[in-house]
Amino acid sequence: MFDWPTFLFSLPLLGKALLITLQTSLLGNAFGFVIAILISSMQLAKMPLLRRLGGSYIFIFRGVPLLVQLLVIYYLAPMFGLPNLSPMVAAVMALSLCSGAYIAEILRGGLMAIPSGQSEAAHLLGMSRPAILLRIELPQAVQSTLPSLVNELVLLIKASALVSVVGLADLTRVAQNLASSDYLFFQHYLVLAGIYCLINIPLTMFGRRLERHLERSLA
Amino acid sequence: MTFDLSIITANAGAIWNAFLVTIYTWLAGSVLGLMAGLLIAALMLFGGRPLQLLLRVFIELVRGTPFLVILFLVYYGGPSFGLRLGAMTAGVLCIAFYSSVYFAEIFRSGFAAVPRGQLEAGECLGLGRLQLLWRVQLPQMLVLILPAIFNMLTILCKETAVLSIITVPELTAVLTGIGTRTFTFIETLLVLCIAYLLLIEITSRAGRWLEHRVGIYLQR
Amino acid sequence: MSLSLSPTNAISAVPAENSKIAPIIHLSAVGKRFGKNQVLANIDLDVHHSEVVCLIGPSGSGKSTLLRCMAFLEEYDDGEIHIEGRLLGWEIDDRGHRKHAGRNRLNQARRNLGIVFQQFNLWPHMTALGNVTEALVRVRRLPRQEAEKKAMKALDKVGLSEKAKEYPARLSGGQQQRVAIARALAMEPKIMLFDEPTSALDPELVGEVLAVMKQLAQEGMTMVVVTHEMGFAAQVADSVVFLDQGSIVTRGTPNEVFRDTNHPRLRQFLQNYLDRNAFWHTTPEKTS
Ligand SMILES: Nc1ncnc2c1ncn2[C@@H]1O[C@H](COP(=O)(O)OP(=O)(O)OP(=O)(O)O)[C@@H](O)[C@H]1O
Ligand SMILES: [Mg+2]
């Protein structure tokens, strides 16, 4: 039923692929975070145009499937003078843009929960608007939304399975290649699912612990 | 670079069919997922400790696995168990399977949100456990969980795009197919994006409307 | 000790012949633990037909637990509770072990009981009428029309027939509690159990609920009432039971219990009650 030699043989390959998966998701998460800071502060800005722009970004990148976003970047980038995007760059780009929208929504909630008196006080002390955001508001928003951010990372790791379609040799792609070479589809995909679970379930549990911790510290 | 929407009108029939396939896989999968999720949540509520633990593990495992991988497992891995499904059927079943655990979690939190006292009051009046579930818990939790359910529905709508990878002839598969055949990526991808944006927007509006309708009794 | 509470005892005490008839509620040596915490110990209590018994006692003394045991909302660990002569909640098998009585048996016993909770526990997604009708239709299996007629009569009794179509959220706390009473009454119970029915209410709404309860008592309903309203207990109760740390300290007519000086805990409890409720005797002097 389960072919152990094949499994053992595939482990090094899957290990390397796991690094690619983690690299894309973590990079995507990091760039997504930067985008999210920008977008969420746009949404909370006073200028209607900025708010509108921030809102549209979120509407579009949360409304279009990640797979379609990937295809758009993959097919259209060359047409807009970005020739030869490597699969890695295309993948990280798509993941960042997409997760940016989701993280922005999370951060916005965290930022809105901060009493406005804090930024007013900082303003009176002469701090600039970006400084207030980065040094005072953001750390608090991140702290209060940390469980959701961890959850978002789990979702992103799962979503990163899709980058296999643009040819990046991530976990899913490598498992696919293995399966089509020896036709042990079920076994390889089962192992694949197991690896994702091995990363995601501890992360999820960590997120839950953070959440309980947060609830207790607020109570 | 040209922009020519005639490629869309020329293929309107095929695109419309693809749209219907998207809608069908999405809704059929979601409805099945909702029912399975309710069943799982009810089993966790009434089942014994071992069953609860088993379902907990099941939920965590499915939640830890990407939808694409579940799709591969069922569609490509199924035949090793004699489970030979058409792409469309596999797609619907996978959406149902994948969403059932998320819906189960939503239902579970909904059950927990109805105060125990209301159930005790019913119990004392002689109402049975299932009657209370159906008449007291479900209608109330519906209001509480509608936002989460509709959020999940929008997520599932987007997941149907992944079905293109196992050759289900839905929107993404058909439109990118037309795009590659005729080198009209801009037009086809634009229409694709707009189609999904519309679907998502309509769904979330419907959700908000329904929330309002169902929640009327909460208004003072 | 001079307490300014004056029990008028408007309702006559238990008729003498009543004590010869079997009690409608009979508790013998009832005990209840939560884990290692012995919450009730060795409770003996009889309630007779048409009797109104008020349970008083400090917070955490086990009043609610005792009342909930009488409806088997809590499973009591020791002793026996009989409602109308039938063992409540448990069944004794051939070897003398107790096991859970079946749903049907429990429901049969509960048919005699109507319960009113501190938190009303109305179903917020049903109108007042819907709340009252629900069990008539689904448990009694009455046709909807008949059930609604019965429900309207119950609502009328608590003075809320014109609010029948309102959802609980649009009713005041006092009105909600009266709907809850109507919901229990509609099932025509022989016994009504109340757990601090007025404690969650704004002070100005307490009266309307107590008035309904007083009327019930006058009509001869058997009632067990957990309450902090000593005035109500003094006026309406046939007997008052003082519970402390899970045991019955004393039981008697309101007159006896409220003037009882033998039990330091009871004296302190009543003094606390007076201190809390008689501030108007002292504040004017302080402010002037
Ligand atoms: N479900 C439970 N689990 C564990 N302990 C409980 C539970 N319910 C009650 N207790 C404990 O039992 C004791 C009696 O509680 P109970 O609610 O019966 O008191 P009470 O007399 O009704 O108090 P109050 O006047 O505050 O309502 C308390 O010490 C309480 O902490
Ligand atoms: Mg109590």
Side-chain angles (χ1 to χ4, degrees), chain C residues 9 42 47 53 78 113-114 125 166 173 189 192 225 236 257 266 269 284:
Chain C
N9 222 358
N42 211 17
V47 179
V53 175
D78 314 308
L113 302 171
H125 58 301
E166 296 284 11
M192 286 285 282
V225 186
V236 181
V257 172
L266 173 57
F269 173 75

Side-chain angles (χ1 to χ4, degrees), chain C residues 5-283:
Chain C
L5 268 178
S6 54
T8 52
N9 222 358
I11 313 292
S12 60
V14 192
E17 76 267 26
N18 228 353
S19 45
K20 276 175 256 157
I21 311 170
I24 190 165
I25 306 176
H26 172 72
L27 280 72
S28 60
V30 169
K32 167 76 191 166
R33 284 176 296 273
F34 285 115
K36 282 194 182 142
N37 185 9
Q38 185 86 34
V39 177
L40 293 175
N42 211 17
I43 301 278
D44 292 315
L45 181 67
D46 282 355
V47 179
H48 287 89
H49 197 73
S50 289
E51 195 180 3
V52 177
V53 175
C54 283
L55 291 176
I56 62 171
S59 182
S61 56
K63 307 179 296 290
S64 298
T65 307
L66 180 56
L67 199 83
R68 289 167 60 81
C69 281
M70 290 187 201
F72 211 64
L73 284 172
E74 304 288 357
E75 299 173 2
Y76 52 98
D77 300 309
D78 314 308
E80 293 182 357
I81 297 180
H82 293 265
I83 308 276
E84 291 235 293
R86 307 176 58 141
L87 184 63
L88 176 72
W90 298 110
E91 236 165 16
I92 310 293
D93 66 13
D94 312 332
R95 285 174 296 163
H97 295 307
R98 61 162 61 175
K99 62 177 199 326
H100 279 104
R103 273 264 147 225
N104 280 338
R105 258 193 74 151
L106 182 57
N107 279 342
Q108 241 173 10
R110 278 183 177 157
R111 278 188 72 147
N112 296 312
L113 302 171
I115 301 174
V116 177
F117 302 87
Q118 182 174 354
Q119 299 299 336
F120 327 140
N121 291 337
L122 289 179
W123 301 310
H125 58 301
M126 299 181 191
T127 60
L129 185 65
N131 266 277
V132 184
T133 317
E134 184 68 12
L136 293 173
V137 172
R138 289 185 197 264
V139 179
R140 283 290 179 79
R141 307 249 164 241
L142 295 185
R144 171 131 329 247
Q145 265 194 329
E146 202 176 318
E148 288 191 352
K149 234 169 74 188
K150 240 190 171 79
M152 282 308 290
K153 249 170 69 186
L155 282 172
D156 199 34
K157 196 171 174 102
V158 298
L160 283 176
S161 43
E162 77 278 21
K163 297 281 185 192
K165 296 277 186 235
E166 296 284 11
Y167 285 103
R170 300 184 49 126
L171 298 175
S172 74
Q175 289 169 333
Q176 288 187 50
Q177 191 60 298
R178 280 147 68 200
V179 173
I181 294 175
R183 179 173 67 177
L185 282 181
M187 297 293 279
E188 295 165 341
K190 296 186 181 143
I191 304 161
M192 286 285 282
L193 306 177
F194 294 85
D195 187 2
E196 300 194 30
T198 56
S199 293
L201 299 178
D202 292 338
E204 72 267 23
L205 301 177
V206 168
E208 60 189 69
V209 173
L210 290 183
V212 168
M213 291 169 61
K214 218 178 275 186
Q215 187 198 338
L216 267 181
Q218 271 158 4
E219 288 168 6
M221 176 65 78
T222 310
M223 291 164 55
V224 179
V225 186
V226 174
T227 188
H228 287 299
E229 296 290 333
M230 297 305 151
F232 174 83
Q235 283 177 45
V236 181
D238 298 303
S239 64
V240 174
V241 173
F242 176 66
L243 211 62
D244 187 38
Q245 295 180 350
S247 314
I248 293 181
V249 175
T250 179
R251 172 183 188 173
T253 64
N255 248 319
E256 291 161 0
V257 172
F258 290 144
R259 297 192 187 289
D260 192 333
T261 51
N262 296 330
H263 298 284
R265 292 283 301 175
L266 173 57
R267 218 163 59 200
Q268 191 194 339
F269 173 75
L270 292 173
Q271 193 58 53
N272 281 347
Y273 177 79
L274 286 179
D275 288 348
R276 231 178 317 118
N277 289 277
F279 62 93
W280 51 83
H281 292 308
T282 52
T283 27

Side-chain angles (χ1 to χ4, degrees), chain A residues 59 62-63 65 67-68 71 75-76 79 102 158 161 165 176 185-186 189-190 192-193 196-197 200-201 208, chain B residues 60-61 63-66 68-69 72-73 76-77 80-81 98 102 158 161 164-165 176 185 192 196-197 200-201:
Chain A
F59 175 72
R62 288 189 14 147
L67 178 61
V68 176
L71 294 174
Y75 286 121
L76 294 195
M79 295 191 178
Y102 286 93
K158 290 205 296 172
V165 298
Q176 254 176 300
F185 288 102
F186 191 77
Y189 291 142
L190 197 66
L192 177 63
Y196 277 111
C197 281
N200 287 335
I201 292 179
R208 264 184 226 142
Chain B
E60 291 300 337
L61 286 177
R63 276 166 56 116
T65 311
L68 180 63
V69 176
F72 282 171
L73 258 177
Y76 295 117
S80 24
F81 299 97
Y98 181 72
Y102 290 91
K158 287 181 279 174
S164 63
I165 298 176
T176 48
F185 292 116
L192 188 57
Y196 281 115
L197 286 173
I200 300 293
E201 183 61 14

Side-chain angles (χ1 to χ4, degrees), chain B residues 136-156:
Chain B
V136 175
Q137 285 182 286
L138 267 180
Q140 282 187 69
M141 62 188 254
L142 211 58
V143 195
L144 301 173
I145 66 179
L146 264 180
I149 295 233
F150 271 83
N151 183 39
M152 192 63 212
L153 285 178
T154 60
I155 290 175
L156 292 176

Side-chain angles (χ1 to χ4, degrees), chain A residues 32 35-44 49-65 69 96-109 111-112, chain B residues 151 154 158 193 196-197 200-201 204:
Chain A
I35 293 175
I37 295 175
L38 212 70
I39 298 296
S40 59
S41 49
M42 271 166 84
Q43 276 203 295
L44 296 173
L49 182 68
L50 282 181
R51 299 172 80 104
R52 186 77 59 78
L53 274 175
S56 309
Y57 181 92
I58 288 179
F59 175 72
I60 289 171
F61 283 90
R62 288 189 14 147
V64 175
Q69 293 180 35
S96 319
L97 288 170
C98 186
S99 70
Y102 286 93
I103 299 175
E105 280 290 272
I106 297 173
L107 282 187
R108 187 169 65 111
L111 288 172
M112 282 187 349
Chain B
N151 183 39
T154 60
K158 287 181 279 174
C193 289
Y196 281 115
L197 286 173
I200 300 293
E201 183 61 14
S204 34

